[in-house]
Amino acid sequence: MYDFAVMWDWLAFAVRWLHVITAIAWIGSSFYFIALDLGLRRSDSLPEGVSGEEWQVHGGGFYHIRKYLVAPAEMPDHLTWFKWEAYSTWLSGVALLAVLYWAGAELYLIDPARAELSVWQAVTLSAAFIAGGWIGYDALCRSPLRDAPLAVMLVLFAGIVVASWLLNQVFSGRAALLHLGAMTATIMTANVFAHIMPNQRIVVADLKAGRTPDPKYGKIAKLRSTHNNYLTLPVIFLMLSNHYPLAFGTENAWIIAALVFLIGVSIRHYFNTRHAGRGNPTWTWAVTVVLFIALAWLSSVPLRHADDADAQVMTPEARIFADVAGFDDAHRIVTGRCSMCHARDPVWPGIRWAPKGVLLETEVDVATEARRIYLQSGVTHAMPPGNVTELSEEGRAAIRDWYRSANREVASR
């Protein structure tokens, strides 16, 4: 039974790997086509309906690319669609969310100091936030503001700020930033599924039927694609943030997350302007640096430990791990070999914050982090790094025996 933890961790690894692979494919094609579209050259010699062309060289060959403003006169024999990169990224992302945050809600999703939630309540709220973000965004793009792109972006940013604050009131800091990223990624994927692809299908259907396609469908698709372009970089930051307590473990995490969207806009504006041949707006890099310094300053506020050692609450499952035989030995080993770094006030030179926000001082800390302790220090030698605190093989064996004994007890209930 104890091998389930190992297999589950490998499942999470496999799904994460898939998610990264598909995300690279989606982001790569998205960035390429935005750059291509902005870099198209116009000339009077182009055929009717062609809005621009581009010559490119790559991999030892030359490519001649033309863009039709609406559509060519007739349907080409071969047409490549770009959609599965987005769909597979979202599907693998949801799978990873389920494996890590829904199945591990008590550890990764719920923070009793912020909101007393049962697992089903936390998972329901998680799904509701993700779906609600898309519903609100889509309503905004269909509203009377739809013809004012700047106004749409400003209202969208205000909504992101509100969502960031709300998520940080309900979930753990790590889960809050991750969910803001998941909500944004859902908006991007739904743009592809509900607007970009359907509008392109309408144009294709018109071509096949011999009708002249309406240019409005292409404009709608391009607007949504542009939104996706500006949202991509913040999503990447938010997906990486769970590795950095300075991003998610501070009182100002919701502000940090919101400012990251402004950084994404400044960086993309630089590259979009360059690709369009409209100059070299180096001022955007100054803005980016200032915003990033602001993030670092906001994160310098001491980490938020609402689960203070004197007010910690142990979950029912953690209670089993704390009551089983062998816990006292495991707790002594972990606090003796790990708590100098994984503490509310680390004493290891050069470490100011507990790595990844993992605390291993109190009985509640150790019982709550039982699975990670087992995998990191019992099954593998990942922790302590380089075995700098000299955790013995006997100590690792004691951790394994404790976890496996408690896990059998959990399974029997």
Side-chain angles (χ1 to χ4, degrees), residues 68-341:
Y68 287 81
L69 189 59
V70 180
E74 58 184 36
M75 185 68 185
D77 294 332
H78 176 72
L79 184 63
T80 300
W81 294 77
F82 291 85
K83 56 183 179 180
W84 286 111
E85 297 92 338
Y87 300 162
S88 55
T89 299
W90 187 82
L91 290 171
S92 59
V94 171
L96 188 60
L97 180 71
V99 168
L100 291 180
Y101 286 87
W102 292 353
E106 289 185 323
L107 179 59
Y108 296 114
L109 188 57
I110 298 172
D111 182 347
R114 301 189 183 197
E116 290 283 354
L117 300 172
S118 64
V119 171
W120 76 265
Q121 288 173 329
V123 172
T124 300
L125 277 175
S126 168
F129 265 108
I130 292 172
W134 160 250
I135 293 171
Y137 164 81
D138 192 52
L140 172 63
C141 290
R142 295 174 183 270
S143 73
L145 291 176
R146 63 183 179 271
D147 295 324
L150 180 59
V152 169
M153 292 297 287
L154 291 174
V155 175
L156 175 59
F157 177 69
I160 288 170
V161 173
V162 172
S164 182
W165 182 83
L166 287 174
L167 285 164
N168 275 274
Q169 305 309 304
V170 177
F171 297 139
S172 68
R174 177 182 308 199
L177 266 63
L178 188 283
H179 275 72
L180 187 63
M183 185 181 72
T184 307
T186 298
I187 288 173
M188 296 168 63
T189 307
N191 273 341
V192 176
F193 180 78
H195 291 281
I196 296 174
M197 294 306 300
N199 287 349
Q200 289 178 336
R201 290 192 187 98
I202 291 173
V203 172
V204 169
D206 285 341
L207 284 175
K208 290 181 177 180
R211 298 187 295 267
T212 300
D214 191 329
K216 73 175 184 181
Y217 296 110
K219 291 180 180 179
I220 294 173
K222 183 176 180 180
L223 176 64
R224 300 278 181 149
S225 182
T226 300
H227 288 172
N228 283 4
N229 176 248
Y230 280 101
L231 293 174
T232 300
L233 295 182
V235 168
I236 295 175
F237 178 96
L238 294 170
M239 293 307 177
L240 293 174
S241 67
N242 64 349
H243 297 288
Y244 296 92
L246 287 175
F248 69 76
T250 74
E251 295 281 5
N252 299 314
W254 68 277
I255 304 176
I256 290 173
L259 291 181
V260 164
F261 282 85
L262 296 183
I263 292 178
V265 169
S266 66
I267 295 174
R268 287 313 306 167
H269 179 72
Y270 173 81
F271 284 105
N272 290 344
T273 303
R274 289 292 305 273
H275 292 149
R278 294 198 297 265
N280 183 27
T282 53
W283 61 267
T284 58
W285 289 99
V287 170
T288 300
V289 170
V290 169
L291 288 172
F292 200 83
I293 291 173
L295 301 190
W297 176 79
L298 288 168
S299 72
S300 66
V301 176
L303 289 179
R304 181 180 190 268
H305 295 306
D307 57 337
D308 184 80
D310 296 327
Q312 286 183 293
V313 178
M314 192 175 292
T315 65
E317 183 172 333
R319 173 55 60 189
I320 296 174
F321 280 88
D323 290 342
V324 76
F327 174 72
D328 289 341
D329 286 341
H331 178 256
R332 174 180 53 78
I333 292 167
V334 170
T335 54
R337 303 296 176 180
C338 308
S339 64
M340 57 282 295
C341 295

